[in-house]
Amino acid sequence: MALPKRKMSRSNTRSRRSQWKAQVPTLVKTVENGKVTYSLPHRAKLVEDQAGTPLYYEYKGRKVADA
């Protein structure tokens, strides 16, 4: 494992760490049967029945996995 040759100063350490930022996920708004849902793009969507019971996961209109 690589080790630093000299001790890194506190200001350099904190300025390096401050570059890491959390990003807000981009959500896609879809309307199905009058119900508005938000989902992440390029992710499988959970399909539920009228009672809210999860049935399966769907991607691009195809069933990809059981719930």
Side-chain angles (χ1 to χ4, degrees):
M1 186 171 148
L3 294 173
K5 193 164 191 174
R6 301 212 193 303
K7 182 178 180 179
M8 194 172 195
S9 70
R10 188 178 289 172
S11 65
N12 282 346
T13 301
R14 289 179 179 167
S15 65
R16 177 177 45 85
R17 287 180 181 164
S18 69
Q19 299 304 315
W20 290 91
K21 296 175 182 67
Q23 296 178 350
V24 178
T26 56
L27 298 177
V28 177
K29 179 181 175 182
T30 56
V31 179
E32 295 179 359
N33 302 328
K35 184 179 177 184
V36 177
T37 59
Y38 294 93
S39 61
L40 294 169
H42 302 289
R43 304 283 201 301
K45 180 181 73 166
L46 179 64
V47 176
E48 299 174 338
D49 61 359
Q50 292 289 339
T53 307
L55 299 174
Y56 56 89
Y57 286 97
E58 180 182 68
Y59 183 72
K60 291 187 178 180
R62 297 179 184 172
K63 180 180 173 183
V64 292
D66 292 328

